[in-house]
Amino acid sequence: MTKTAKTAYKNPGTGAIEFARQHVEGLTIKEALPVIERLLKGKLHDPADKRIKRCAYCDYYYRDKTRPNNSKTCSRECKIAIDTLKRAKKRADAALLKPEKDRDIKKEMYTYYAYWLEYPYYISEHYMLRRAHNHERPFAPDKLAQIDAAKQRGYKRKGYARPTDGSDKVHVRGLRYKHSYGEVTTTQMERTEIDQYLIGKYGDKKLKMERWRAVQFAAVKSAYIG
Ligand SMILES: [Zn+2]
């Protein structure tokens, strides 16, 4: 629903106040109240007086002081307010009536937020929830209870990797936790078996070379490093 003079309560503008003051000047509050009541009902002024009108914005009676008697509002503030309102309506209409070829409907349907209306709304519920998610994240009720309880215990979350359930498990991103290993078995190989395995894997020549290197390294190491 858009704001109109009929649907929203407004304070009287200065023109309306001035008009009312003329009728109650010098009266006590008790005396003034019934006068104001009659004034608001329009029973106090001469209906033939074309200078007395209702303000188009605040909707109270006022006296038009403009020379051509063509004002629609009681005061400057009411004029500004009603112009702002008219502009907002115009903008809303223009946005709705914009030809389809000038609009990226697909994008608009997703992000559409009618912010200029009195009751703004989103067309896309998904987009609305996504926006809300930036500020408040939903959790399952039991999770919320856990978080609340932890806070009451003085628990301060140290980092995102730390769980809120009070366990000491630290989850590290990038590591997998759900695999399982079989039992570790130990075997022992004879020297000949080891030789056979290495010759099979690297060849006789390579093995001899590596063994010579190891001996050389041991000699150098004992000479220089100790
Ligand atoms: Zn007014």
Side-chain angles (χ1 to χ4, degrees):
M1 197 168 76
T2 49
K3 227 184 259 180
T4 66
K6 305 283 177 288
T7 56
Y9 172 79
K10 290 183 197 81
N11 290 319
T14 48
I17 291 170
E18 200 193 321
F19 176 66
R21 185 181 285 137
Q22 293 168 0
H23 294 89
V24 296
E25 211 132 51
L27 303 179
T28 64
I29 290 177
K30 220 176 167 184
E31 288 164 340
L33 280 177
V35 176
I36 288 174
E37 207 185 321
R38 287 183 60 211
L39 181 98
L40 292 181
K41 282 179 183 163
K43 288 177 182 168
L44 211 63
H45 67 269
D46 178 8
D49 189 345
K50 291 280 178 274
R51 287 213 161 249
I52 293 167
K53 307 170 174 175
R54 266 181 190 273
C55 172
Y57 183 73
C58 70
D59 208 32
Y60 293 94
Y61 286 104
Y62 74 103
R63 178 179 292 278
D64 189 344
K65 284 176 178 171
T66 60
R67 231 167 67 84
N69 191 25
N70 61 359
S71 78
K72 298 270 186 289
T73 47
C74 72
S75 59
R76 205 178 115 77
E77 313 97 75
C78 283
K79 173 99 177 83
I80 291 168
I82 201 164
D83 283 351
T84 307
L85 200 63
K86 274 182 188 162
R87 260 200 314 279
K89 271 186 200 162
K90 216 171 159 185
R91 205 163 50 228
D93 286 347
L96 284 172
L97 297 174
K98 206 169 161 190
E100 213 161 288
K101 63 179 164 54
D102 294 345
R103 299 163 57 176
D104 187 348
I105 295 289
K106 218 171 163 189
K107 195 176 160 196
E108 240 176 69
M109 290 304 275
Y110 186 62
T111 60
Y112 193 89
Y113 180 53
Y115 60 89
W116 55 84
L117 300 177
E118 190 181 8
Y119 298 103
Y121 62 90
Y122 290 94
I123 278 184
S124 160
E125 191 188 12
H126 175 85
Y127 183 70
M128 179 185 78
L129 294 174
R130 217 183 65 161
R131 283 263 293 244
H133 197 267
N134 289 339
H135 307 288
E136 280 183 323
R137 260 140 236 212
F139 286 106
D142 56 333
K143 182 81 178 172
L144 282 176
Q146 280 178 0
I147 293 170
D148 186 48
K151 273 186 190 161
Q152 285 181 41
R153 291 196 308 270
Y155 178 88
K156 261 196 178 174
R157 199 157 183 204
K158 294 196 177 83
Y160 282 102
R162 241 168 247 257
T164 47
D165 59 4
S167 70
D168 285 334
K169 264 188 272 170
V170 173
H171 181 85
V172 180
R173 266 189 93 162
L175 282 187
R176 290 193 198 178
Y177 292 91
K178 277 190 175 165
H179 50 206
S180 61
Y181 297 104
E183 245 181 83
V184 178
T185 53
T186 50
T187 53
Q188 206 159 12
M189 289 167 101
E190 297 290 319
R191 199 200 151 96
T192 49
E193 276 179 318
I194 294 170
D195 279 355
Q196 240 176 4
Y197 169 77
L198 290 174
I199 287 166
K201 187 144 190 171
Y202 301 107
D204 189 33
K205 203 178 162 191
K206 169 94 174 156
L207 189 62
K208 261 191 193 158
M209 181 69 184
E210 290 303 322
R211 280 192 169 149
W212 176 82
R213 255 191 204 171
V215 172
Q216 293 299 307
F217 178 69
V220 171
K221 195 185 164 203
S222 61
Y224 289 95
I225 302 165

